[in-house]
Amino acid sequence: MELQTMQDQLTERLLQQQLVSATVSQPRLKSNDIKRIKLKPVEIKNEYLIQFEYQHEHVLKHENLPLEEACRKLESLFNDFRQALFQFTDEKVQIQLSKKFKVSWKAEQTGEKKAELSHNRKKQYLLEDGIPYPFLVRLGVQSSDGKVKKQKYDKFRQINRFIEFIDDALAYLPQDRTVRILDFGSGKSYLTFALYHYLRIEKGLDLRVTGLDLKKEVIEECQQIAEDLRYEQLEFLVGDINDYNEESAVDMVVTLHACDVATDMALSRAVKWDAKVILSVPCCQHELNSQIAASELGIMLQHGLIKERFSALATDSIRAELLSLVGYETQLMEFIDMEHTPKNILIRAYKTGRKPGAGQFKKYKQFTSLLSADPFLENELKEYL
Ligand SMILES: C[S@@+](CC[C@H](N)C(=O)[O-])C[C@H]1O[C@@H](n2cnc3c(N)ncnc32)[C@H](O)[C@@H]1O
């Protein structure tokens, strides 16, 4: 098939609103920062749009385009990418482009599929408002009939968002043995209970989860709730992340809003335990703020507020880079919406064992020396770099 014929056929299907989902992949150039693009239709303010999700090495970016613009964008993607998989309402189409832009088009009837149009988060919720979940009732997020309390709606959204991440991570967890999970700085443990509920109760995974926190009373309360709910494979311990060295192997490490370098300590432990999945939302970050000095950035750094925010962003970039240098596929993602908290960057890392070339480490070093940074995490991970 000729390229133009393929483009015309895709455009026609898109214009007829037959798209359910698509993935465009296999960049022609290895140096292309975008590895994959996912497409799906969304409806926003009654307008039918196509959402493009660009998967860069470490970040996801989205844009929602009106149909005709989306068709043009899709056409342009085939200049740089060689593979695509489209799910339309009635068939699946697999496309492969040769080096010389010859097209292989394989279609397979799939029976009626419907596009999930709503951009409304309710659709994506894995826990539903109106269905009582014992842990949410017990934690006061829902009333006993399952209605989410008005003042707890943000928490409910956050829990659901977190479960989406857990759901994505499921494929990276072993299925043939007890999965070991640690939640560092678990605090009131909404998310620890949510994680347990989803993986154990809904997915039936054999697991053992430990929540660790400095606060004795909070931990005792959480332990009591776990016992009352008969969550037998969930336990809570009082302890400091910095001293916790009880394990030899852990499959998943979660750290949500653990303060300052406690996050780094948790990340370094996770790497040493060969964790397959790391989910980390850092909290306050003072380390870099006290080190950073770069005359080239003087215009920014002269403002305390900007320096603080810049340091926090640089710290998370450094953490993500270090994890990728030691063999993790790492992305920085938005955890919850900006209006609720500025602490909304989630570091998601899946162990692949693939390490980037030496050039990447050099780039990392250039960055840290530009900032005069001597990251705690780098020192912790020295032997792996
Ligand atoms: C902001 S709360 C977040 C709680 C929970 N992870 C969440 O996301 O809802 C941070 C928690 O981390 C705990 N924490 C901070 N530093 C810690 C450390 N070094 N060791 C253990 N817990 C720590 C605090 O006691 C606090 O409960």
Side-chain angles (χ1 to χ4, degrees):
M1 183 187 277
E2 293 302 318
L3 186 66
Q4 193 53 53
T5 317
M6 176 200 85
Q7 308 271 32
D8 293 346
Q9 296 222 16
L10 291 176
T11 300
E12 192 185 321
R13 283 171 165 80
L14 252 66
L15 291 176
Q16 288 177 357
Q17 303 194 355
Q18 290 178 3
L19 181 71
V20 176
S21 62
T23 304
V24 179
S25 58
Q26 215 181 330
R28 284 184 180 270
L29 296 177
K30 267 199 172 149
S31 54
N32 194 336
D33 186 42
I34 301 174
K35 304 300 171 204
R36 202 174 297 121
I37 303 105
K38 287 190 173 175
L39 282 73
K40 66 173 181 186
V42 290
E43 195 174 86
I44 300 173
K45 293 187 185 150
N46 289 330
E47 191 183 0
Y48 181 95
L49 303 168
I50 303 290
Q51 180 174 88
F52 288 70
E53 179 185 276
Y54 301 93
Q55 299 192 353
H56 293 251
E57 190 96 19
H58 301 307
V59 283
L60 291 179
K61 291 183 184 161
H62 295 90
E63 66 176 341
N64 299 319
L65 299 177
L67 253 184
E68 291 190 1
E69 215 179 308
C71 293
R72 286 197 294 277
K73 170 63 78 175
L74 179 61
E75 279 198 29
S76 73
L77 290 181
F78 285 107
N79 293 327
D80 300 320
F81 292 86
R82 292 181 52 192
Q83 201 175 58
L85 181 66
F86 287 84
Q87 178 67 59
F88 295 112
T89 43
D90 58 346
E91 64 174 1
K92 194 153 87 178
V93 176
Q94 213 170 348
I95 292 171
Q96 184 70 47
L97 266 61
S98 73
K99 280 193 179 147
K100 295 186 174 165
F101 293 89
K102 278 271 166 239
V103 179
S104 148
W105 171 291
K106 286 188 193 149
E108 187 190 317
Q109 293 295 314
T110 53
E112 186 93 5
K113 297 246 185 244
K114 256 191 141 177
E116 178 60 81
L117 267 183
S118 178
H119 196 53
N120 176 349
R121 277 161 195 271
K122 189 168 188 290
K123 277 272 160 53
Q124 294 168 12
Y125 282 6
L126 293 160
L127 302 178
E128 286 182 39
D129 188 359
I131 298 179
Y133 299 93
F135 78 100
L136 287 181
V137 174
R138 183 64 202 263
L139 293 171
V141 175
Q142 289 180 318
S143 49
S144 54
D145 62 355
K147 190 91 205 84
V148 175
K149 294 180 185 169
K150 211 167 164 211
Q151 68 278 23
K152 291 287 181 184
Y153 217 87
D154 285 348
K155 200 78 210 165
F156 181 70
R157 291 179 58 211
Q158 190 196 41
I159 290 170
N160 258 306
R161 181 82 179 114
F162 181 62
I163 290 182
E164 281 176 34
F165 286 113
I166 298 293
D167 189 54
D168 288 345
L170 200 53
Y172 291 82
L173 296 173
Q175 311 282 329
D176 55 346
R177 59 171 172 81
T178 307
V179 176
R180 182 80 182 105
I181 300 179
L182 283 182
D183 184 352
F184 279 138
S186 52
K188 288 194 176 158
S189 303
Y190 293 94
L191 301 174
T192 329
F193 281 105
L195 176 154
Y196 186 88
H197 167 85
Y198 188 67
L199 289 179
R200 176 74 199 138
I201 317 267
E202 300 219 1
K203 294 287 165 185
L205 214 68
D206 177 16
L207 43 61
R208 194 158 73 82
V209 182
T210 301
L212 183 90
D213 204 287
L214 290 169
K215 295 176 190 154
K216 186 165 175 288
E217 277 163 28
V218 177
I219 283 292
E220 281 171 0
E221 201 183 320
C222 293
Q223 182 62 34
Q224 190 58 54
I225 298 175
E227 285 170 22
D228 294 348
L229 294 171
R230 298 185 180 222
Y231 284 0
E232 283 160 9
Q233 285 136 287
L234 173 61
E235 61 169 1
F236 291 92
L237 300 177
V238 183
D240 188 325
I241 298 168
N242 299 298
D243 304 329
Y244 188 80
N245 224 344
E246 311 298 309
E247 315 284 329
S248 54
V250 171
D251 298 300
M252 176 161 158
V253 171
V254 175
T255 137
L256 294 155
H257 302 144
C259 302
D260 212 6
V261 289
T263 292
D264 297 293
M265 190 52 102
L267 295 179
S268 101
R269 294 259 199 277
V271 171
K272 290 173 188 170
W273 289 328
D274 195 26
K276 307 292 174 276
V277 176
I278 302 173
L279 295 178
S280 174
V281 180
C283 187
C284 47
Q285 290 141 7
H286 306 304
E287 188 200 16
L288 199 58
N289 197 30
S290 63
Q291 294 174 354
I292 198 165
S295 55
E296 294 90 331
L297 301 175
I299 287 176
M300 290 174 78
L301 302 182
Q302 63 180 323
H303 306 287
L305 177 69
I306 300 285
K307 185 178 174 204
E308 194 186 313
R309 291 193 185 171
F310 178 78
S311 303
L313 292 173
T315 303
D316 286 339
S317 310
I318 287 172
R319 286 170 172 150
E321 196 58 30
L322 284 168
L323 288 173
S324 107
L325 285 166
V326 299
Y328 283 81
E329 183 187 312
T330 311
Q331 287 178 323
L332 296 182
M333 312 183 72
E334 193 169 50
F335 181 42
I336 48 169
D337 297 343
M338 206 65 183
E339 67 258 30
H340 295 106
T341 167
K343 297 172 202 165
N344 72 339
I345 290 181
L346 178 127
I347 304 172
R348 178 171 80 178
Y350 297 139
K351 177 90 188 244
T352 62
R354 283 191 300 277
K355 295 187 179 182
Q360 201 60 28
F361 185 61
K362 210 168 136 199
K363 274 194 202 163
Y364 164 81
K365 279 305 223 184
Q366 281 165 350
F367 183 65
T368 50
S369 62
L370 169 72
L371 302 182
S372 312
D374 177 22
F376 174 84
L377 185 59
E378 182 191 328
N379 289 314
E380 279 289 312
L381 296 180
K382 228 173 216 142
E383 61 189 293
Y384 298 85
L385 289 165

